[in-house]
Amino acid sequence: MRYSQDQWQTTHDRILDEAARRFRADGIDNTSLLPLMKSLGLTHGGFYAHFRSKQDLVEAALQRAGEQMDLATSEVLAAEVPVNDTRLKDFIYRYLSRAHRDNPGAGCVLPTMSTELGQRRTPSETTDRIVMDRLTRIEQELSDSRADENSILMLCALVGALQLSRCIQDPELSDKVLKLTRRRLTALACEQT
Amino acid sequence: MRYSQDQWQTTHDRILDEAARRFRADGIDNTSLLPLMKSLGLTHGGFYAHFRSKQDLVEAALQRAGEQMDLATSEVLAAEVPVNDTRLKDFIYRYLSRAHRDNPGAGCVLPTMSTELGQRRTPSETTDRIVMDRLTRIEQELSDSRADENSILMLCALVGALQLSRCIQDPELSDKVLKLTRRRLTALACEQT
DNA sequence: TGTACATCAGTGAACGCGCGTTCACTGATGTAC
DNA sequence: TGTACATCAGTGAACGCGCGTTCACTGATGTAC
């Protein structure tokens, strides 16, 4: 059956969004096309009317998830987050919230996909752009003379903390990692005037 | 053919070491038993004389790699590392060295395996023990009043920095992440007296 | 406005492939006499 | 010390399974007349 151009774009976006979610929640290799398409009410054969290969989808989903990140940490995950005086402190709070930890599918790509991307033979340049984007955004908030050092330290600590909090079994230790990293990073963000 | 007890133990250790290396370098799912056994000059069927399942091997290899971590960052990777005045600064230097970045198979398990372990349905308690172990070791070196906060921040930043440096394509940016995180963390380690 | 045709998003069976696991076996070594 | 037997680490073919990809097809929609 043939559909209108709008229909194609809608289906295309649905595949892309669901893939971006699953890649982050379950990992790239653990996400198979058949269950993915089935969950959207489609058959797996139709996939190739939208993407040339799974690798093609990975690249597109990575880009999409990279763009969506602000949305993910502000709208979707805003519920439990208290209001802060600065935008950077706000960002730290959101990033290291339990809501973000427990919803990897809607969150930042770096803690979920960067390991797998680094292990691939043909890694993506998109990763570089996402990292650069995050760094410059953080750096803009830091008026410090050591803004370059501090923005990198901050991004590394954010990514590492979220990832560790997700693989830790003990809920108390997991919360503690989030909480103390949050506290220490906000303190670091305040030191600069 | 039957071999002596020593022979069994030797083969057992060889499988374990090679698995621990491959899990870190290529990922758990991307490491298959047939090529693994073949690379040791064995056939895949013999695997089950040593481990009950792949999951069993993952658990054993994770434990092994967790224990070997000091060895990995001190002996194997010591070549390019300058000598420092404190043990903690030394550790930071080694952890964030290019040698460690470029040899994930011989390095820390946290940047390489923690994402995949966190995405599994049956995660391991061994991860918790490894994280706790790292934290207490770092904390012992920090005589600070905020040693608990700082040790967590430090571990998160170490793990995050190594992981990001590995997935970044641009060599300059990758080096920069290592270098600046190293600089900022050693400064942090010095602040305490 | 009505009809004939072309398009192409989506269908579903089929493909080759590599995976983890099993199983009947082999034969060098350890043990008992 | 020499012989007969039991053990079991390692062999290699076979298993069912899910994967990514292909392909001949269907039929609702867009287009041309």
Side-chain angles (χ1 to χ4, degrees):
Chain A
M1 340 151 210
R2 194 192 181 191
Y3 296 103
S4 65
Q5 185 68 14
D6 281 358
Q7 203 99 357
W8 182 87
Q9 192 58 250
T10 304
T11 306
H12 193 82
D13 287 343
R14 286 177 65 221
I15 297 174
L16 212 43
D17 285 333
E18 182 61 16
R21 195 189 66 75
R22 288 186 178 226
F23 286 157
R24 282 176 282 181
D26 308 324
I28 299 171
D29 283 341
N30 259 323
T31 299
S32 333
L33 300 182
L34 197 144
L36 169 67
M37 294 297 280
K38 199 175 181 183
S39 76
L40 298 172
L42 296 164
T43 51
H44 54 285
F47 173 81
Y48 295 90
H50 291 276
F51 301 95
R52 267 180 304 172
S53 63
K54 188 183 178 179
Q55 180 53 42
D56 203 39
L57 176 67
V58 170
E59 182 60 33
L62 180 62
Q63 227 159 315
R64 164 78 56 123
E67 293 162 6
Q68 281 184 338
M69 194 257 200
D70 299 304
L71 207 93
T73 47
S74 60
E75 293 187 30
V76 181
L77 309 168
E80 71 167 67
V81 171
V83 181
N84 261 294
D85 43 339
T86 72
R87 292 205 299 172
L88 183 59
K89 279 164 92 178
D90 216 57
F91 175 74
I92 293 168
Y93 247 91
R94 282 181 176 137
Y95 199 99
L96 296 179
S97 67
R98 270 181 280 185
H100 193 190
R101 179 194 64 192
D102 300 334
N103 287 288
C108 178
V109 285
L110 294 177
T112 43
M113 294 177 71
S114 63
T115 307
E116 220 170 341
L117 287 169
Q119 287 166 345
R120 300 206 149 206
R121 269 142 244 175
T122 49
S124 167
E125 286 180 17
T126 309
T127 331
D128 284 37
R129 266 189 282 132
I130 293 172
V131 171
M132 279 303 295
D133 177 62
R134 300 284 174 275
L135 284 178
T136 48
R137 274 165 192 257
I138 296 173
E139 207 167 336
Q140 278 165 7
E141 305 289 332
L142 298 167
S143 46
D144 198 52
S145 59
R146 290 204 294 190
D148 56 337
E149 280 183 21
N150 280 332
S151 62
I152 287 181
L153 175 73
M154 209 163 270
L155 184 64
C156 292
L158 288 170
V159 170
L162 197 60
Q163 183 175 325
L164 289 180
S165 76
R166 278 176 181 153
C167 78
I168 289 167
Q169 288 300 100
D170 177 22
E172 271 187 54
L173 182 57
S174 178
D175 284 351
K176 193 178 165 192
V177 167
L178 289 183
K179 193 178 166 186
L180 295 196
T181 310
R182 209 160 53 193
R183 188 187 296 172
R184 199 61 191 77
L185 282 185
T186 44
L188 212 80
C190 284
E191 275 176 24
Q192 14 222 325
T193 37
Chain B
M1 338 148 210
R2 191 191 183 194
Y3 296 104
S4 65
Q5 185 68 12
D6 280 357
Q7 204 99 355
W8 182 88
Q9 192 58 250
T10 303
T11 307
H12 193 81
D13 288 343
R14 285 177 66 222
I15 297 175
L16 213 43
D17 286 332
E18 182 61 16
R21 195 188 66 76
R22 288 184 179 228
F23 287 156
R24 283 175 284 181
D26 308 325
I28 299 170
D29 283 341
N30 258 322
T31 300
S32 333
L33 301 180
L34 197 143
L36 169 67
M37 295 297 281
K38 199 174 182 182
S39 77
L40 299 171
L42 296 164
T43 51
H44 54 286
F47 173 80
Y48 295 89
H50 291 276
F51 301 95
R52 267 179 304 169
S53 63
K54 188 184 177 181
Q55 181 50 43
D56 202 40
L57 175 68
V58 170
E59 183 60 32
L62 179 62
Q63 226 160 314
R64 165 76 58 123
E67 292 162 6
Q68 281 183 340
M69 195 254 203
D70 300 304
L71 206 93
T73 48
S74 61
E75 291 188 31
V76 181
L77 310 167
E80 69 168 70
V81 172
V83 180
N84 261 294
D85 41 339
T86 73
R87 292 205 299 173
L88 184 58
K89 279 164 90 179
D90 216 58
F91 175 73
I92 293 168
Y93 248 90
R94 281 180 176 138
Y95 199 99
L96 297 178
S97 66
R98 270 181 280 186
H100 192 190
R101 178 193 64 192
D102 300 334
N103 288 288
C108 177
V109 285
L110 294 178
T112 44
M113 294 178 71
S114 62
T115 306
E116 220 169 339
L117 289 169
Q119 286 165 346
R120 300 206 150 206
R121 271 143 245 176
T122 48
S124 166
E125 287 181 17
T126 309
T127 331
D128 284 35
R129 265 189 283 131
I130 293 172
V131 171
M132 280 302 296
D133 177 63
R134 301 285 174 274
L135 283 177
T136 48
R137 274 165 192 256
I138 295 174
E139 206 167 337
Q140 279 165 9
E141 305 289 333
L142 298 167
S143 43
D144 197 50
S145 58
R146 294 204 290 191
D148 56 338
E149 281 184 22
N150 281 332
S151 62
I152 287 180
L153 175 74
M154 208 162 270
L155 184 63
C156 292
L158 288 170
V159 170
L162 197 60
Q163 184 176 324
L164 288 181
S165 76
R166 278 176 180 153
C167 77
I168 289 168
Q169 287 299 102
D170 177 24
E172 271 186 52
L173 181 59
S174 177
D175 284 352
K176 194 178 164 192
V177 168
L178 288 182
K179 194 177 166 188
L180 294 195
T181 309
R182 207 161 54 195
R183 190 187 295 172
R184 198 62 192 76
L185 282 184
T186 44
L188 211 81
C190 283
E191 274 176 24
Q192 16 222 323
T193 37

